[in-house]
Amino acid sequence: RGLGSSARSAREDSWLKSLFVRKVDPRKDAHSNLLAKRETSNLYKLQFHNVKPECLEAYNKLCQEVLPKIHEEKHYPCALVGTWNTWYGEQDQAVHLWRYEGGYPALNEVMSKLRQNKEFTEFRKERGNMLLSRKNQLLLEFSFWNEPVPRDGPNIYELRSYQLRPGTMIEWGNYWARAIRFRQDSNEAVGGFFSQIGQLYMVHHLWAYKDLQTREDIRNAAWHKPGWDELVYYTVPLIQEMESRIMIPLKISPLQ
């Protein structure tokens, strides 16, 4: 009787568990292949440097001396997309966005060559003495976003960063492929990216505005366009955390 009761209990537990197990269809491809631009193999690196407050001016001067040399040197298959100081958000912070034209092989080539560059080695040592902390992410660009290209200024830039719930990147991409058309009228959309290495399920949207009031006006205008409110309604539940940085470009930034 004890054995029969035990077997019956096991069957009941198995049946109860089956009620809560969701069957998942097998994925046919990685989300990076489904969401990224197919016509390019660009890889992006986003760097966040938290600078000692008393060193920010010297840090900016050092970057403005060294970073353009890497950007302009044809020997390196990479380009500086933009470089900024955070104005509103985390203070005394520098943000750099690099593009590696050729993906991971290009990244490896650049890193290998820079290790042999004595000027860059000294730059890193001097820069390290000015930092409190730093982190970076490797990113791909969404296929439906604009290609980030140099632009004239003056502009302020907003980097909106979203930590998504794991497993929701495809859903996010499907909604934003439609949502981006609501935000093209004033040429404010600069680029959209999602993380591959570093903090995962991260999305970054980069926008350019003339000033803070223009930003407010453009964002408010989107709510008067039929369909924008619905897309926001469906994307908000996908987000775990979000952050906004308002950034000012350095003089050397191709995005001004």
Side-chain angles (χ1 to χ4, degrees):
R1 188 166 53 198
L3 289 173
S5 176
S6 176
R8 186 166 54 252
S9 176
R11 286 196 300 272
E12 290 174 353
D13 287 345
S14 177
W15 177 80
L16 286 171
K17 288 178 181 178
S18 70
L19 294 178
F20 300 99
V21 174
R22 184 171 67 90
K23 293 184 178 179
V24 180
D25 293 332
R27 292 288 300 274
K28 301 300 183 183
D29 207 347
H31 70 244
S32 58
N33 293 332
L34 296 172
L35 294 171
K37 282 184 168 66
R38 293 183 180 274
E39 62 272 20
T40 66
S41 56
N42 291 333
L43 181 70
Y44 290 81
K45 179 167 68 176
L46 184 62
Q47 299 175 299
F48 298 99
H49 290 172
N50 292 317
V51 185
K52 296 175 182 177
E54 66 274 16
C55 295
L56 185 60
E57 185 176 349
Y59 171 93
N60 287 340
K61 182 180 179 181
L62 184 64
C63 288
Q64 291 179 143
E65 290 173 355
V66 177
L67 298 188
K69 296 178 182 179
I70 301 171
H71 171 73
E72 295 165 2
E73 176 57 66
K74 302 302 182 184
H75 187 56
Y76 302 117
C78 67
L80 181 65
V81 177
T83 178
W84 304 268
N85 285 158
T86 300
W87 183 24
Y88 287 102
E90 196 160 353
Q91 297 293 282
D92 304 307
Q93 185 180 71
V95 180
H96 309 290
L97 181 62
W98 292 88
R99 177 171 56 239
Y100 296 88
E101 299 159 359
Y104 292 106
L107 173 67
N108 292 336
E109 180 182 347
V110 172
M111 294 299 101
S112 177
K113 289 178 177 178
L114 287 177
R115 281 194 290 268
Q116 308 302 319
N117 185 322
K118 292 183 179 180
E119 182 182 9
F120 183 76
T121 301
E122 291 301 316
F123 160 72
R124 288 197 65 181
K125 289 180 181 178
E126 188 174 354
R127 185 188 68 182
N129 293 328
M130 302 177 183
L131 299 182
L132 293 170
S133 65
R134 61 193 179 102
K135 70 175 181 178
N136 59 28
Q137 293 178 335
L138 293 180
L139 314 169
L140 296 176
E141 55 187 330
F142 284 110
S143 61
F144 47 84
W145 267 79
N146 300 357
E147 183 82 16
V149 296
R151 66 171 64 198
D152 296 329
N155 295 293
I156 62 171
Y157 289 81
E158 181 176 18
L159 183 67
R160 294 179 70 87
S161 302
Y162 302 88
Q163 177 67 63
L164 301 187
R165 299 182 183 280
T168 62
M169 187 66 73
I170 295 294
E171 194 173 356
W172 176 274
N174 287 338
Y175 284 124
W176 264 96
R178 288 178 283 160
I180 190 64
R181 70 177 187 269
F182 292 98
R183 299 294 308 276
Q184 300 280 18
D185 293 349
S186 302
N187 195 33
E188 72 268 24
V190 177
F193 313 91
F194 59 99
S195 63
Q196 288 291 282
I197 297 178
Q199 191 170 356
L200 298 179
Y201 285 97
M202 284 292 298
V203 168
H204 301 282
H205 292 174
L206 184 61
W207 310 91
Y209 304 101
K210 180 181 178 182
D211 50 40
L212 287 174
Q213 185 58 56
T214 302
R215 169 188 177 274
E216 182 75 2
D217 294 342
I218 289 174
R219 288 178 56 81
N220 286 339
W223 288 96
H224 297 286
K225 298 177 181 179
W228 172 255
D229 56 343
E230 181 181 356
L231 290 167
V232 172
Y233 175 84
Y234 285 114
T235 54
V236 166
L238 309 180
I239 301 170
Q240 286 186 327
E241 295 180 13
M242 58 188 298
E243 182 178 7
S244 170
R245 291 175 176 84
I246 301 297
M247 309 184 301
I248 304 297
L250 299 186
K251 293 179 181 179
I252 60 169
S253 178
L255 288 170
Q256 283 295 312

